[in-house]
Amino acid sequence: MNTQNGTSAPRDTAPKPQQPVGGAIIDASGREIPITEQMIQQACREMDKTCMGAPKKA
């Protein structure tokens, strides 16, 4: 909320797909690789393909 005029302005707080989101993985060579939003979304898509989730609705 803007305290000067009492209005609230929308803020873009979502990370960009290639922007690090606060974590990292360590590869086989010991290098730290920042985790990106795109990496998380890809992992979720892969899990959706392989996991046995809730029964499908008819």
Side-chain angles (χ1 to χ4, degrees):
M1 176 184 270
N2 187 327
T3 57
Q4 293 198 353
N5 62 12
T7 62
S8 61
R11 293 183 351 174
D12 183 18
T13 57
K16 305 294 185 246
Q18 292 298 324
Q19 182 179 18
V21 291
I25 58 173
I26 307 298
D27 70 6
S29 300
R31 292 176 295 201
E32 189 174 286
I33 301 170
I35 298 171
T36 65
E37 179 71 18
Q38 183 177 26
M39 293 165 76
I40 294 169
Q41 289 180 5
Q42 178 64 33
C44 290
R45 283 191 293 271
E46 291 297 318
M47 286 178 55
D48 285 345
K49 289 179 193 175
T50 60
C51 290
M52 299 296 250
K56 297 187 187 246
K57 295 180 181 177

